[in-house]
Amino acid sequence: MRRVVVTGLGAVTPVGNDIPAFWENLLAGKNGIGPLSRFDAGEYKAKVAAQVKDFDPLQYMEKGEIRKSDLFCQYAMAAACQAVEDSGIFGKVAPERFGVYFGSGIGGLITMSAELQKLLEKGPKRVSPFFIPMMIANMAAGNIAIRFEAKGPCLPVTTACATSTNEVGEAFHAIREGYADAILAGGAEAAITPIGVAGFTNCMALSLSENPDEASLPFDKRRSGFVMGEGAGALILEEFEHAKKRGAQIYAEVTGYGCTCDAYHMTAPAPGGEGAARAILLALQESGGAEGPIYINAHGTGTPLNDKTETQAIKTALGEKTAETLVSSTKSMTGHMLGAAGAVEAIVSVLALHDGIVPPTINLHEPDPECDLDYVPNQARKVQVQTALSTSLGFGGHNACVAFKRMEE
């Protein structure tokens, strides 16, 4: 099998709009959650969100492109441009061998809401001719492929909150099996809208705390729901010999991928985290096992059921190795970035391996007896982990896990 490595990274997040700022703020435990200001939230129960701040799409796109793009596509293009520049891949891979695996859990919800309002208030003739291409969830992948002349496989995935973990995993398999030499993989989301917040609130998913430091509380006894986040993450995955030949920097090696379904419930995880445990086991088996110490960037949403069952899943999958495993949820700082979460958290896993430091789970002050792992509470920890896992669990019972290892030739 061909080896696959990570050679470029890009991110737009609630704690930083590029990789250096994002990583520095995560390690410092900076909270990206604040009062919901995207719209008037006076009548809404959820009062806080993890919003992207000071984002300027003109750094990455022309004005005409911006007018014809939903915000999720703008975030996607920004992260993609950063990753391509970081890797130096453009022009150094055959277009037919360069792919884009970039998804969104929801797609252009901002555009959908705005155009529906036009339809109801002004009639069908006022709906934008760009409505459909701005709204559909595959358009981030399409636009990125156009921008970088990527004529290889292009696969936008939509598996709710597991979306971009699936993208990274499927890209890994495609390169390993010889379908491409490099793939830009990731995900984007921009669903902090009135209808988005109302919908997640009414399905009892969101935290209703008005205190940003008491809203996203993964693995804490006080947890009561997740906080909506937004943004994008992008990784360049590349065949090892191809990367080595062109002298590319290498952050880490991608070594395993697991993908399962609970087949149990629309929103609740399977009892005991059975489906998540199988996804982790599949990733570890493909990876040739786990070398310790191990770091897991957990899905860790801060909902009562998720954190308990994910803890159970980790114990089931790792067994005795659980004792030497560090787990953290960076959603305590970024909120839940939905379809972008997996890619951003894969980036965290890669950087933890590369830099020898694990980011914390902030605001973890009241441990839950049912969540009894080492969640790296409140302070980053310097430790040279050998294996990193990034797990994502989505509505519909989707489970995905990607395994990375420190790069060794």
Side-chain angles (χ1 to χ4, degrees), residues 76-92:
M77 186 62 74
C81 287
Q82 292 174 27
V84 168
E85 182 177 2
D86 186 37
S87 71
I89 189 73
F90 189 53
K92 296 181 181 177

Side-chain angles (χ1 to χ4, degrees), residues 38-396:
R38 185 65 51 77
F39 57 89
D40 183 357
E43 296 184 5
Y44 290 74
K45 293 180 180 179
K47 302 293 187 183
V48 299
Q51 299 169 142
V52 169
K53 305 157 191 73
D54 303 319
F55 174 69
D56 181 8
L58 285 169
Q59 290 183 275
Y60 308 98
M61 305 170 70
E62 300 293 332
K63 286 184 179 180
E65 294 177 298
I66 294 168
R67 285 196 298 269
K68 294 182 286 186
S69 298
D70 187 89
L71 186 58
F72 91 96
C73 277
Q74 296 171 26
Y75 289 158
M77 186 62 74
C81 287
Q82 292 174 27
V84 168
E85 182 177 2
D86 186 37
S87 71
I89 189 73
F90 189 53
K92 296 181 181 177
V93 60
E96 294 78 12
R97 302 288 297 169
F98 188 24
V100 178
Y101 282 30
F102 211 98
S104 177
I106 297 176
L109 194 59
I110 292 174
T111 296
M112 170 70 84
S113 299
E115 296 304 318
L116 180 59
Q117 188 171 357
K118 284 185 190 177
L119 174 67
L120 295 176
E121 293 178 356
K122 299 178 181 179
K125 291 184 179 180
R126 298 299 297 273
V127 172
S128 170
F130 297 107
F131 165 54
I132 296 298
M134 288 174 69
M135 177 270 298
I136 51 180
N138 72 303
M139 199 49 65
N143 286 343
I144 291 167
I146 292 167
R147 175 70 167 268
F148 296 110
E149 301 173 14
K151 298 181 179 180
C154 189
L155 183 67
V157 168
T158 297
T159 48
C161 306
T163 290
S164 50
T165 299
N166 283 133
E167 295 283 28
V168 174
E170 296 297 332
F172 159 60
H173 276 179
I175 296 171
R176 188 187 65 168
E177 300 293 336
Y179 293 104
D181 292 328
I183 294 177
L184 193 156
E189 207 76 85
I192 301 176
T193 64
I195 190 68
V197 173
F200 276 114
T201 301
N202 291 347
C203 74
M204 310 297 287
L206 297 187
S207 168
L208 303 184
S209 173
E210 297 186 27
N211 183 342
D213 291 325
E214 297 179 354
S216 183
L217 299 173
F219 306 111
D220 191 287
K221 189 176 182 180
R222 299 165 295 157
R223 69 189 185 276
S224 61
F226 72 79
V227 173
M228 284 187 71
E230 60 178 354
L235 303 89
I236 298 292
L237 272 56
E238 189 171 353
E239 192 273 325
F240 172 59
E241 294 297 337
H242 188 280
K244 187 177 177 181
K245 185 177 180 180
R246 70 180 185 87
Q249 65 175 336
I250 294 175
Y251 287 100
E253 183 171 4
V254 193
T255 54
Y257 169 51
C259 177
T260 67
C261 186
D262 289 346
Y264 171 72
H265 189 272
M266 287 175 63
T267 57
E274 180 270 336
R278 284 189 296 111
I280 295 170
L281 279 169
L282 287 169
L284 287 173
Q285 289 167 5
E286 193 169 63
S287 189
E291 300 172 10
I294 304 162
Y295 169 58
I296 299 179
N297 188 290
H299 190 56
T301 57
T303 62
L305 277 179
N306 175 92
D307 296 5
K308 177 178 71 172
T309 55
E310 189 173 11
T311 296
Q312 293 170 332
I314 291 169
K315 290 178 178 180
T316 299
L318 294 184
E320 293 180 357
K321 290 184 180 293
T322 305
E324 58 178 354
T325 299
L326 306 178
V327 181
S328 68
S329 173
T330 43
K331 288 184 178 72
S332 59
M333 295 172 274
T334 67
H336 191 352
M337 297 171 68
L338 308 175
V344 169
E345 291 160 12
I347 290 169
V348 173
S349 303
V350 166
L351 290 174
L353 282 172
H354 185 265
D355 291 358
I357 187 166
V358 171
T361 305
I362 69 166
N363 296 319
L364 177 46
H365 300 302
E366 295 187 24
D368 183 342
E370 294 189 291
C371 300
D372 56 354
L373 305 180
D374 181 353
Y375 302 110
V376 194
N378 302 306
Q379 297 288 331
R381 193 177 305 169
K382 290 184 178 181
V383 55
Q384 187 59 76
V385 293
Q386 301 296 318
T387 301
L389 304 175
S390 181
T391 59
S392 295
L393 320 175
F395 281 3

